[in-house]
Amino acid sequence: MEVDDRVAKAWKEAPADKRKAIANKMNIRITRELFDYDKETFMQYLEQLRNNMAERGLTQEILDDILKDES
């Protein structure tokens, strides 16, 4: 993904947990933009994403915060 130099520098300097949270937000947003999912399919995708992120240590609280920010 192409970003300007300022964003690239900030990304490199950001803590790993912040980069994870941002990456998850971007994944959700890009998926919404690129795929024409019906609501049920998209909710299944989100559930799968939640499970994958939980396996990697991302808590439900963090996921809720990410989803809240998307509203």
Side-chain angles (χ1 to χ4, degrees):
M1 184 177 299
E2 294 180 31
V3 297
D4 63 39
D5 292 340
R6 183 173 154 244
V7 172
K9 182 178 186 297
W11 179 261
K12 287 177 185 176
E13 295 172 355
D17 60 331
K18 179 114 178 152
R19 287 193 313 265
K20 261 187 196 180
I22 293 169
N24 289 328
K25 288 179 186 180
M26 292 305 299
N27 190 33
I28 291 168
R29 181 62 185 237
I30 290 168
T31 299
R32 285 181 182 168
E33 294 292 329
L34 292 178
F35 300 102
D36 186 25
Y37 285 133
D38 59 44
K39 185 175 181 177
E40 181 179 339
T41 303
F42 188 71
M43 295 307 289
Q44 289 172 350
Y45 166 77
L46 285 180
E47 185 62 30
Q48 179 183 10
L49 181 62
R50 283 184 193 105
N51 292 337
N52 290 343
M53 293 302 102
E55 289 173 6
R56 296 177 184 158
L58 195 60
T59 66
Q60 184 64 45
E61 180 180 274
I62 294 170
L63 285 172
D64 290 343
D65 189 44
I66 290 168
L67 294 174
K68 179 182 73 177
D69 288 347
E70 286 296 311
S71 308

